[in-house]
Amino acid sequence: CNNDGEICEGSGIDVLHYVTYSNSLDPVLDNSNGGDILGTAAKLCTSMNQYNYISYHEIQANNTWGRYGVCSYNSYCTGGNDFTVGRAASLKVKEMEGQCDDNSDVGNWY
């Protein structure tokens, strides 16, 4: 659970429609979990009562995706590394968590 995992072969920079969920009006984007709109909807359906705020951001990210890391409330993430954006299919429903797959059918977590 704590190794870097594989790095996906990327093609450059993607613009992400990134949604975060938190208990703060001032969400921190680094070392935090979020996802695209579909992926975040899946997360919120399972834990809506845990968060007070939802924020939308358009960000640019290198699409050489790393392993998705689960982050705690103190901005510490397990898994992944310090130099790639971690990515998984929402709810991790695909083989290898969907890290390098087209997840347009289920959404992405970052």
Side-chain angles (χ1 to χ4, degrees), residues 2-81:
N2 293 317
N3 66 34
D4 290 351
E6 299 293 321
I7 306 295
C8 301
E9 183 177 325
S11 60
I13 302 297
D14 283 351
V15 175
L16 304 180
H17 301 276
Y18 184 73
V19 181
T20 61
Y21 34 87
S22 71
N23 288 316
S24 170
L25 279 172
D26 189 23
V28 176
L29 297 184
D30 62 327
N31 291 328
S32 65
N33 294 124
D36 60 20
I37 293 170
L38 183 57
T40 301
K43 171 69 174 173
L44 292 176
C45 285
T46 63
S47 58
M48 187 62 177
N49 61 344
Q50 295 178 18
Y51 306 104
N52 294 322
Y53 302 101
I54 298 172
S55 302
Y56 172 81
H57 312 269
E58 280 191 13
I59 60 174
Q60 294 181 349
N62 188 313
N63 61 20
T64 53
W65 309 117
R67 183 170 173 226
Y68 177 76
V70 178
C71 301
S72 65
Y73 292 107
N74 60 1
S75 296
Y76 175 76
C77 302
T78 59
N81 58 48

